[in-house]
mmCIF file of all heavy atoms in Angstrom:
data_model
loop_
_atom_site.group_PDB
_atom_site.id
_atom_site.type_symbol
_atom_site.label_atom_id
_atom_site.label_comp_id
_atom_site.label_asym_id
_atom_site.label_seq_id
_atom_site.Cartn_x
_atom_site.Cartn_y
_atom_site.Cartn_z
ATOM 1 N N LEU G 18 23.688 -9.093 -6.849
ATOM 2 C CA LEU G 18 22.359 -9.680 -6.659
ATOM 3 C C LEU G 18 21.576 -8.914 -5.594
ATOM 4 O O LEU G 18 22.109 -8.570 -4.539
ATOM 5 C CB LEU G 18 22.498 -11.138 -6.231
ATOM 6 C CG LEU G 18 21.219 -11.857 -5.796
ATOM 7 C CD1 LEU G 18 20.335 -12.127 -7.002
ATOM 8 C CD2 LEU G 18 21.563 -13.144 -5.070
ATOM 9 N N VAL G 19 20.311 -8.680 -5.877
ATOM 10 C CA VAL G 19 19.417 -8.103 -4.889
ATOM 11 C C VAL G 19 18.523 -9.215 -4.341
ATOM 12 O O VAL G 19 17.933 -9.978 -5.115
ATOM 13 C CB VAL G 19 18.516 -7.014 -5.515
ATOM 14 C CG1 VAL G 19 17.497 -6.498 -4.488
ATOM 15 C CG2 VAL G 19 19.361 -5.860 -6.052
ATOM 16 N N LEU G 20 18.453 -9.320 -3.019
ATOM 17 C CA LEU G 20 17.567 -10.288 -2.373
ATOM 18 C C LEU G 20 16.867 -9.585 -1.225
ATOM 19 O O LEU G 20 17.507 -9.190 -0.250
ATOM 20 C CB LEU G 20 18.349 -11.488 -1.846
ATOM 21 C CG LEU G 20 17.577 -12.470 -0.949
ATOM 22 C CD1 LEU G 20 16.388 -13.074 -1.692
ATOM 23 C CD2 LEU G 20 18.497 -13.554 -0.420
ATOM 24 N N LEU G 21 15.569 -9.441 -1.336
ATOM 25 C CA LEU G 21 14.762 -8.845 -0.279
ATOM 26 C C LEU G 21 13.800 -9.909 0.216
ATOM 27 O O LEU G 21 13.073 -10.505 -0.559
ATOM 28 C CB LEU G 21 13.994 -7.625 -0.803
ATOM 29 C CG LEU G 21 14.838 -6.531 -1.458
ATOM 30 C CD1 LEU G 21 13.947 -5.359 -1.877
ATOM 31 C CD2 LEU G 21 15.946 -6.068 -0.558
ATOM 32 N N ARG G 22 13.804 -10.100 1.534
ATOM 33 C CA ARG G 22 13.084 -11.234 2.105
ATOM 34 C C ARG G 22 11.692 -10.857 2.587
ATOM 35 O O ARG G 22 11.498 -9.785 3.176
ATOM 36 C CB ARG G 22 13.883 -11.830 3.253
ATOM 37 C CG ARG G 22 15.241 -12.361 2.838
ATOM 38 C CD ARG G 22 16.019 -12.911 4.020
ATOM 39 N NE ARG G 22 17.373 -13.266 3.628
ATOM 40 C CZ ARG G 22 17.712 -14.437 3.108
ATOM 41 N NH1 ARG G 22 16.780 -15.370 2.907
ATOM 42 N NH2 ARG G 22 18.980 -14.682 2.782
ATOM 43 N N CYS G 23 10.765 -11.781 2.361
ATOM 44 C CA CYS G 23 9.393 -11.599 2.808
ATOM 45 C C CYS G 23 8.836 -12.953 3.225
ATOM 46 O O CYS G 23 8.876 -13.913 2.454
ATOM 47 C CB CYS G 23 8.538 -11.005 1.691
ATOM 48 S SG CYS G 23 6.762 -10.942 2.050
ATOM 49 N N ASN G 24 8.337 -13.023 4.436
ATOM 50 C CA ASN G 24 7.627 -14.207 4.908
ATOM 51 C C ASN G 24 6.210 -13.793 5.274
ATOM 52 O O ASN G 24 5.989 -12.704 5.804
ATOM 53 C CB ASN G 24 8.335 -14.841 6.096
ATOM 54 C CG ASN G 24 9.607 -15.526 5.693
ATOM 55 O OD1 ASN G 24 10.663 -14.904 5.652
ATOM 56 N ND2 ASN G 24 9.515 -16.796 5.371
ATOM 57 N N TYR G 25 5.283 -14.660 5.010
ATOM 58 C CA TYR G 25 3.884 -14.310 5.242
ATOM 59 C C TYR G 25 3.224 -15.334 6.154
ATOM 60 O O TYR G 25 3.704 -16.447 6.334
ATOM 61 C CB TYR G 25 3.131 -14.234 3.909
ATOM 62 C CG TYR G 25 2.948 -15.586 3.272
ATOM 63 C CD1 TYR G 25 1.819 -16.357 3.540
ATOM 64 C CD2 TYR G 25 3.920 -16.118 2.436
ATOM 65 C CE1 TYR G 25 1.667 -17.619 2.999
ATOM 66 C CE2 TYR G 25 3.774 -17.372 1.879
ATOM 67 C CZ TYR G 25 2.661 -18.123 2.165
ATOM 68 O OH TYR G 25 2.503 -19.377 1.634
ATOM 69 N N SER G 26 2.119 -14.920 6.691
ATOM 70 C CA SER G 26 1.236 -15.799 7.441
ATOM 71 C C SER G 26 -0.168 -15.580 6.907
ATOM 72 O O SER G 26 -0.618 -14.445 6.775
ATOM 73 C CB SER G 26 1.306 -15.459 8.932
ATOM 74 O OG SER G 26 0.320 -16.165 9.654
ATOM 75 N N SER G 27 -0.827 -16.681 6.585
ATOM 76 C CA SER G 27 -2.173 -16.540 6.033
ATOM 77 C C SER G 27 -2.997 -17.776 6.352
ATOM 78 O O SER G 27 -2.517 -18.894 6.192
ATOM 79 C CB SER G 27 -2.108 -16.319 4.525
ATOM 80 O OG SER G 27 -3.406 -16.211 3.980
ATOM 81 N N SER G 28 -4.217 -17.559 6.735
ATOM 82 C CA SER G 28 -5.119 -18.665 7.049
ATOM 83 C C SER G 28 -5.865 -19.148 5.810
ATOM 84 O O SER G 28 -6.570 -20.150 5.861
ATOM 85 C CB SER G 28 -6.120 -18.238 8.127
ATOM 86 O OG SER G 28 -6.818 -17.088 7.708
ATOM 87 N N VAL G 29 -5.705 -18.457 4.706
ATOM 88 C CA VAL G 29 -6.323 -18.830 3.437
ATOM 89 C C VAL G 29 -5.236 -18.774 2.376
ATOM 90 O O VAL G 29 -4.176 -18.173 2.604
ATOM 91 C CB VAL G 29 -7.486 -17.888 3.071
ATOM 92 C CG1 VAL G 29 -8.589 -17.971 4.126
ATOM 93 C CG2 VAL G 29 -7.006 -16.461 2.915
ATOM 94 N N PRO G 30 -5.452 -19.410 1.220
ATOM 95 C CA PRO G 30 -4.436 -19.298 0.157
ATOM 96 C C PRO G 30 -4.137 -17.833 -0.115
ATOM 97 O O PRO G 30 -5.044 -17.044 -0.380
ATOM 98 C CB PRO G 30 -5.126 -19.969 -1.033
ATOM 99 C CG PRO G 30 -6.047 -20.959 -0.405
ATOM 100 C CD PRO G 30 -6.541 -20.312 0.853
ATOM 101 N N PRO G 31 -2.858 -17.474 -0.044
ATOM 102 C CA PRO G 31 -2.527 -16.052 -0.113
ATOM 103 C C PRO G 31 -2.382 -15.530 -1.528
ATOM 104 O O PRO G 31 -2.042 -16.262 -2.454
ATOM 105 C CB PRO G 31 -1.183 -15.991 0.605
ATOM 106 C CG PRO G 31 -0.534 -17.297 0.231
ATOM 107 C CD PRO G 31 -1.670 -18.301 0.178
ATOM 108 N N TYR G 32 -2.655 -14.258 -1.677
ATOM 109 C CA TYR G 32 -2.219 -13.507 -2.836
ATOM 110 C C TYR G 32 -1.089 -12.610 -2.339
ATOM 111 O O TYR G 32 -1.227 -11.950 -1.309
ATOM 112 C CB TYR G 32 -3.357 -12.666 -3.409
ATOM 113 C CG TYR G 32 -4.487 -13.496 -3.961
ATOM 114 C CD1 TYR G 32 -5.557 -13.864 -3.152
ATOM 115 C CD2 TYR G 32 -4.477 -13.927 -5.279
ATOM 116 C CE1 TYR G 32 -6.596 -14.639 -3.649
ATOM 117 C CE2 TYR G 32 -5.512 -14.710 -5.785
ATOM 118 C CZ TYR G 32 -6.568 -15.055 -4.961
ATOM 119 O OH TYR G 32 -7.584 -15.829 -5.450
ATOM 120 N N LEU G 33 0.015 -12.601 -3.048
ATOM 121 C CA LEU G 33 1.216 -11.927 -2.568
ATOM 122 C C LEU G 33 1.671 -10.873 -3.561
ATOM 123 O O LEU G 33 1.577 -11.073 -4.783
ATOM 124 C CB LEU G 33 2.323 -12.953 -2.324
ATOM 125 C CG LEU G 33 2.006 -13.942 -1.201
ATOM 126 C CD1 LEU G 33 2.805 -15.223 -1.365
ATOM 127 C CD2 LEU G 33 2.282 -13.308 0.156
ATOM 128 N N PHE G 34 2.186 -9.792 -3.044
ATOM 129 C CA PHE G 34 2.535 -8.638 -3.865
ATOM 130 C C PHE G 34 3.853 -8.032 -3.378
ATOM 131 O O PHE G 34 4.172 -8.084 -2.192
ATOM 132 C CB PHE G 34 1.459 -7.549 -3.750
ATOM 133 C CG PHE G 34 0.064 -8.025 -4.044
ATOM 134 C CD1 PHE G 34 -0.673 -8.683 -3.077
ATOM 135 C CD2 PHE G 34 -0.496 -7.813 -5.285
ATOM 136 C CE1 PHE G 34 -1.958 -9.132 -3.345
ATOM 137 C CE2 PHE G 34 -1.785 -8.260 -5.566
ATOM 138 C CZ PHE G 34 -2.514 -8.920 -4.592
ATOM 139 N N TRP G 35 4.581 -7.468 -4.317
ATOM 140 C CA TRP G 35 5.686 -6.580 -3.993
ATOM 141 C C TRP G 35 5.390 -5.219 -4.630
ATOM 142 O O TRP G 35 5.102 -5.126 -5.823
ATOM 143 C CB TRP G 35 7.015 -7.112 -4.511
ATOM 144 C CG TRP G 35 7.679 -8.098 -3.608
ATOM 145 C CD1 TRP G 35 7.673 -9.459 -3.699
ATOM 146 C CD2 TRP G 35 8.493 -7.795 -2.467
ATOM 147 N NE1 TRP G 35 8.411 -10.014 -2.686
ATOM 148 C CE2 TRP G 35 8.933 -9.012 -1.921
ATOM 149 C CE3 TRP G 35 8.895 -6.604 -1.848
ATOM 150 C CZ2 TRP G 35 9.744 -9.090 -0.793
ATOM 151 C CZ3 TRP G 35 9.708 -6.674 -0.736
ATOM 152 C CH2 TRP G 35 10.123 -7.904 -0.209
ATOM 153 N N TYR G 36 5.494 -4.193 -3.800
ATOM 154 C CA TYR G 36 5.353 -2.817 -4.269
ATOM 155 C C TYR G 36 6.670 -2.090 -4.044
ATOM 156 O O TYR G 36 7.410 -2.377 -3.096
ATOM 157 C CB TYR G 36 4.257 -2.089 -3.493
ATOM 158 C CG TYR G 36 2.844 -2.426 -3.909
ATOM 159 C CD1 TYR G 36 2.181 -3.520 -3.372
ATOM 160 C CD2 TYR G 36 2.170 -1.640 -4.838
ATOM 161 C CE1 TYR G 36 0.879 -3.830 -3.749
ATOM 162 C CE2 TYR G 36 0.867 -1.932 -5.220
ATOM 163 C CZ TYR G 36 0.228 -3.029 -4.673
ATOM 164 O OH TYR G 36 -1.052 -3.334 -5.050
ATOM 165 N N VAL G 37 6.940 -1.105 -4.899
ATOM 166 C CA VAL G 37 8.114 -0.257 -4.738
ATOM 167 C C VAL G 37 7.642 1.181 -4.572
ATOM 168 O O VAL G 37 6.653 1.601 -5.187
ATOM 169 C CB VAL G 37 9.082 -0.394 -5.938
ATOM 170 C CG1 VAL G 37 8.420 0.017 -7.250
ATOM 171 C CG2 VAL G 37 10.341 0.431 -5.712
ATOM 172 N N GLN G 38 8.349 1.888 -3.726
ATOM 173 C CA GLN G 38 8.025 3.297 -3.489
ATOM 174 C C GLN G 38 9.285 4.123 -3.681
ATOM 175 O O GLN G 38 10.225 4.023 -2.883
ATOM 176 C CB GLN G 38 7.461 3.485 -2.082
ATOM 177 C CG GLN G 38 7.011 4.906 -1.776
ATOM 178 C CD GLN G 38 6.485 5.048 -0.364
ATOM 179 O OE1 GLN G 38 6.878 4.322 0.549
ATOM 180 N NE2 GLN G 38 5.575 5.990 -0.167
ATOM 181 N N TYR G 39 9.299 4.934 -4.726
ATOM 182 C CA TYR G 39 10.394 5.861 -4.936
ATOM 183 C C TYR G 39 10.113 7.130 -4.140
ATOM 184 O O TYR G 39 8.961 7.418 -3.807
ATOM 185 C CB TYR G 39 10.552 6.163 -6.424
ATOM 186 C CG TYR G 39 10.898 4.943 -7.239
ATOM 187 C CD1 TYR G 39 9.931 4.294 -8.015
ATOM 188 C CD2 TYR G 39 12.181 4.399 -7.226
ATOM 189 C CE1 TYR G 39 10.229 3.171 -8.749
ATOM 190 C CE2 TYR G 39 12.496 3.270 -7.953
ATOM 191 C CZ TYR G 39 11.519 2.657 -8.702
ATOM 192 O OH TYR G 39 11.813 1.529 -9.417
ATOM 193 N N PRO G 40 11.129 7.893 -3.822
ATOM 194 C CA PRO G 40 10.931 9.100 -3.009
ATOM 195 C C PRO G 40 9.828 9.990 -3.562
ATOM 196 O O PRO G 40 9.778 10.271 -4.762
ATOM 197 C CB PRO G 40 12.297 9.783 -3.067
ATOM 198 C CG PRO G 40 13.263 8.662 -3.279
ATOM 199 C CD PRO G 40 12.550 7.681 -4.163
ATOM 200 N N ASN G 41 8.945 10.381 -2.657
ATOM 201 C CA ASN G 41 7.852 11.310 -2.988
ATOM 202 C C ASN G 41 6.877 10.758 -4.024
ATOM 203 O O ASN G 41 6.192 11.522 -4.708
ATOM 204 C CB ASN G 41 8.405 12.648 -3.467
ATOM 205 C CG ASN G 41 9.303 13.311 -2.434
ATOM 206 O OD1 ASN G 41 8.949 13.350 -1.260
ATOM 207 N ND2 ASN G 41 10.450 13.769 -2.854
ATOM 208 N N GLN G 42 6.835 9.454 -4.145
ATOM 209 C CA GLN G 42 5.890 8.837 -5.074
ATOM 210 C C GLN G 42 5.030 7.810 -4.345
ATOM 211 O O GLN G 42 5.278 7.464 -3.194
ATOM 212 C CB GLN G 42 6.622 8.188 -6.243
ATOM 213 C CG GLN G 42 7.371 9.181 -7.122
ATOM 214 C CD GLN G 42 7.932 8.524 -8.361
ATOM 215 O OE1 GLN G 42 7.400 7.539 -8.871
ATOM 216 N NE2 GLN G 42 9.021 9.073 -8.863
ATOM 217 N N GLY G 43 4.007 7.339 -5.034
ATOM 218 C CA GLY G 43 3.116 6.338 -4.454
ATOM 219 C C GLY G 43 3.695 4.947 -4.560
ATOM 220 O O GLY G 43 4.840 4.750 -4.952
ATOM 221 N N LEU G 44 2.890 3.980 -4.188
ATOM 222 C CA LEU G 44 3.293 2.583 -4.241
ATOM 223 C C LEU G 44 3.031 2.042 -5.645
ATOM 224 O O LEU G 44 1.910 2.072 -6.130
ATOM 225 C CB LEU G 44 2.504 1.772 -3.208
ATOM 226 C CG LEU G 44 2.694 2.200 -1.760
ATOM 227 C CD1 LEU G 44 1.677 1.516 -0.864
ATOM 228 C CD2 LEU G 44 4.104 1.867 -1.307
ATOM 229 N N GLN G 45 4.066 1.511 -6.274
ATOM 230 C CA GLN G 45 3.951 0.980 -7.627
ATOM 231 C C GLN G 45 4.091 -0.537 -7.568
ATOM 232 O O GLN G 45 5.020 -1.057 -6.953
ATOM 233 C CB GLN G 45 5.044 1.579 -8.516
ATOM 234 C CG GLN G 45 5.014 1.086 -9.952
ATOM 235 C CD GLN G 45 6.150 1.656 -10.781
ATOM 236 O OE1 GLN G 45 6.972 2.408 -10.281
ATOM 237 N NE2 GLN G 45 6.183 1.309 -12.044
ATOM 238 N N LEU G 46 3.172 -1.234 -8.208
ATOM 239 C CA LEU G 46 3.215 -2.690 -8.191
ATOM 240 C C LEU G 46 4.398 -3.197 -9.007
ATOM 241 O O LEU G 46 4.558 -2.863 -10.180
ATOM 242 C CB LEU G 46 1.915 -3.255 -8.747
ATOM 243 C CG LEU G 46 1.817 -4.778 -8.755
ATOM 244 C CD1 LEU G 46 1.728 -5.317 -7.326
ATOM 245 C CD2 LEU G 46 0.622 -5.241 -9.572
ATOM 246 N N LEU G 47 5.236 -4.018 -8.372
ATOM 247 C CA LEU G 47 6.346 -4.667 -9.055
ATOM 248 C C LEU G 47 5.920 -5.994 -9.662
ATOM 249 O O LEU G 47 6.224 -6.299 -10.804
ATOM 250 C CB LEU G 47 7.473 -4.949 -8.066
ATOM 251 C CG LEU G 47 8.558 -3.913 -7.834
ATOM 252 C CD1 LEU G 47 9.529 -4.444 -6.793
ATOM 253 C CD2 LEU G 47 9.267 -3.570 -9.125
ATOM 254 N N LEU G 48 5.264 -6.797 -8.852
ATOM 255 C CA LEU G 48 4.805 -8.105 -9.297
ATOM 256 C C LEU G 48 3.811 -8.657 -8.296
ATOM 257 O O LEU G 48 3.678 -8.138 -7.191
ATOM 258 C CB LEU G 48 5.978 -9.072 -9.465
ATOM 259 C CG LEU G 48 6.997 -9.203 -8.333
ATOM 260 C CD1 LEU G 48 6.503 -10.079 -7.206
ATOM 261 C CD2 LEU G 48 8.322 -9.738 -8.863
ATOM 262 N N LYS G 49 3.116 -9.715 -8.719
ATOM 263 C CA LYS G 49 2.139 -10.332 -7.833
ATOM 264 C C LYS G 49 2.041 -11.826 -8.122
ATOM 265 O O LYS G 49 2.293 -12.281 -9.235
ATOM 266 C CB LYS G 49 0.764 -9.685 -8.006
ATOM 267 C CG LYS G 49 0.165 -9.875 -9.400
ATOM 268 C CD LYS G 49 -1.181 -9.179 -9.514
ATOM 269 C CE LYS G 49 -1.751 -9.347 -10.929
ATOM 270 N NZ LYS G 49 -3.039 -8.638 -11.085
ATOM 271 N N TYR G 50 1.675 -12.553 -7.081
ATOM 272 C CA TYR G 50 1.355 -13.966 -7.213
ATOM 273 C C TYR G 50 -0.090 -14.161 -6.773
ATOM 274 O O TYR G 50 -0.476 -13.763 -5.663
ATOM 275 C CB TYR G 50 2.272 -14.828 -6.340
ATOM 276 C CG TYR G 50 1.773 -16.243 -6.243
ATOM 277 C CD1 TYR G 50 1.993 -17.149 -7.261
ATOM 278 C CD2 TYR G 50 1.020 -16.662 -5.134
ATOM 279 C CE1 TYR G 50 1.492 -18.439 -7.191
ATOM 280 C CE2 TYR G 50 0.523 -17.949 -5.066
ATOM 281 C CZ TYR G 50 0.758 -18.828 -6.096
ATOM 282 O OH TYR G 50 0.250 -20.101 -6.034
ATOM 283 N N THR G 51 -0.881 -14.769 -7.653
ATOM 284 C CA THR G 51 -2.252 -15.104 -7.276
ATOM 285 C C THR G 51 -2.439 -16.608 -7.328
ATOM 286 O O THR G 51 -2.710 -17.246 -6.318
ATOM 287 C CB THR G 51 -3.267 -14.383 -8.177
ATOM 288 O OG1 THR G 51 -2.965 -14.665 -9.548
ATOM 289 C CG2 THR G 51 -3.203 -12.876 -7.957
ATOM 290 N N THR G 52 -2.307 -17.196 -8.495
ATOM 291 C CA THR G 52 -2.353 -18.651 -8.627
ATOM 292 C C THR G 52 -1.424 -19.041 -9.770
ATOM 293 O O THR G 52 -0.919 -18.182 -10.500
ATOM 294 C CB THR G 52 -3.765 -19.162 -8.956
ATOM 295 O OG1 THR G 52 -4.199 -18.541 -10.167
ATOM 296 C CG2 THR G 52 -4.751 -18.838 -7.851
ATOM 297 N N GLY G 53 -1.199 -20.350 -9.928
ATOM 298 C CA GLY G 53 -0.412 -20.797 -11.077
ATOM 299 C C GLY G 53 1.071 -20.851 -10.781
ATOM 300 O O GLY G 53 1.492 -21.223 -9.683
ATOM 301 N N ALA G 54 1.859 -20.458 -11.751
ATOM 302 C CA ALA G 54 3.321 -20.553 -11.660
ATOM 303 C C ALA G 54 3.830 -19.833 -10.422
ATOM 304 O O ALA G 54 3.448 -18.694 -10.139
ATOM 305 C CB ALA G 54 3.956 -19.962 -12.905
ATOM 306 N N THR G 55 4.696 -20.509 -9.702
ATOM 307 C CA THR G 55 5.170 -19.956 -8.433
ATOM 308 C C THR G 55 6.297 -18.960 -8.603
ATOM 309 O O THR G 55 6.583 -18.188 -7.689
ATOM 310 C CB THR G 55 5.634 -21.091 -7.499
ATOM 311 O OG1 THR G 55 6.647 -21.853 -8.170
ATOM 312 C CG2 THR G 55 4.472 -21.991 -7.123
ATOM 313 N N LEU G 56 6.949 -18.968 -9.756
ATOM 314 C CA LEU G 56 7.972 -17.965 -10.047
ATOM 315 C C LEU G 56 7.322 -16.891 -10.910
ATOM 316 O O LEU G 56 6.887 -17.156 -12.021
ATOM 317 C CB LEU G 56 9.165 -18.603 -10.770
ATOM 318 C CG LEU G 56 10.309 -17.648 -11.117
ATOM 319 C CD1 LEU G 56 10.942 -17.090 -9.843
ATOM 320 C CD2 LEU G 56 11.356 -18.361 -11.970
ATOM 321 N N VAL G 57 7.257 -15.713 -10.365
ATOM 322 C CA VAL G 57 6.600 -14.629 -11.095
ATOM 323 C C VAL G 57 7.617 -13.558 -11.450
ATOM 324 O O VAL G 57 8.517 -13.249 -10.662
ATOM 325 C CB VAL G 57 5.442 -14.014 -10.279
ATOM 326 C CG1 VAL G 57 4.316 -15.007 -10.149
ATOM 327 C CG2 VAL G 57 5.882 -13.545 -8.919
ATOM 328 N N LYS G 58 7.461 -13.038 -12.631
ATOM 329 C CA LYS G 58 8.366 -11.995 -13.096
ATOM 330 C C LYS G 58 7.627 -10.663 -13.106
ATOM 331 O O LYS G 58 6.443 -10.601 -13.435
ATOM 332 C CB LYS G 58 8.872 -12.336 -14.501
ATOM 333 C CG LYS G 58 9.735 -13.586 -14.539
ATOM 334 C CD LYS G 58 10.317 -13.849 -15.919
ATOM 335 C CE LYS G 58 11.067 -15.162 -15.965
ATOM 336 N NZ LYS G 58 12.217 -15.195 -15.033
#
Side-chain angles (χ1 to χ4, degrees):
Chain G
L18 172 72
V19 175
L20 170 60
L21 305 182
R22 299 178 187 274
C23 172
N24 288 88
Y25 70 90
S26 172
S27 179
S28 56
V29 298
Y32 295 91
L33 295 157
F34 306 81
W35 276 99
Y36 282 86
V37 61
Q38 184 181 28
Y39 298 103
N41 302 315
Q42 296 187 29
L44 299 169
Q45 180 183 1
L46 181 69
L47 270 179
L48 49 79
K49 63 181 178 182
Y50 168 79
T51 54
T52 58
T55 57
L56 180 64
V57 292
K58 295 184 185 299

